[in-house]
């Protein structure tokens, strides 16, 4: 029995899309782990520079990534 080329083409597209999503997910995790992280300031302890609820981005290479903290 011959396979339908139209179905084979769609299956290949779906596999490519899933692979692309997986690669993007791995890249996202690696970037969050080693390069940047975002935090929300939980209290007013750092006023007037940072207010409660401010969002900050941390560049991890400046201080080094901490894997197990």
């Amino acid at each position: 029995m011959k396979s339908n080329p139209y179905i084979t083409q769609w299956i290949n597209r779906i596999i490519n899309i899933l692979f692309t999503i997986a690669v993007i997910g791995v890249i996202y995790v690696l970037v969050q782990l080693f390069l940047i992280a975002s935090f929300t300031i939980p209290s007013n302890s750092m006023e007037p520079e940072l207010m409660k609820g401010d969002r900050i981005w941390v560049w991890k290479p400046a201080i080094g990534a901490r894997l197990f903290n």
Side-chain angles (χ1 to χ4, degrees), residues 14-55:
I14 290 171
I15 290 172
N16 285 338
I17 289 170
L18 291 175
F19 180 73
T20 302
I21 290 171
V23 168
I24 289 171
V26 168
I27 290 172
Y28 174 77
V29 168
L30 290 175
V31 166
Q32 287 288 322
L33 188 61
F34 293 110
L35 293 179
I36 58 173
S38 64
F39 298 97
T40 302
I41 304 301
S43 67
N44 294 332
S45 64
M46 298 191 72
E47 284 185 356
E49 288 82 15
L50 298 172
M51 305 300 275
K52 181 178 179 180
D54 283 351
R55 293 194 58 85

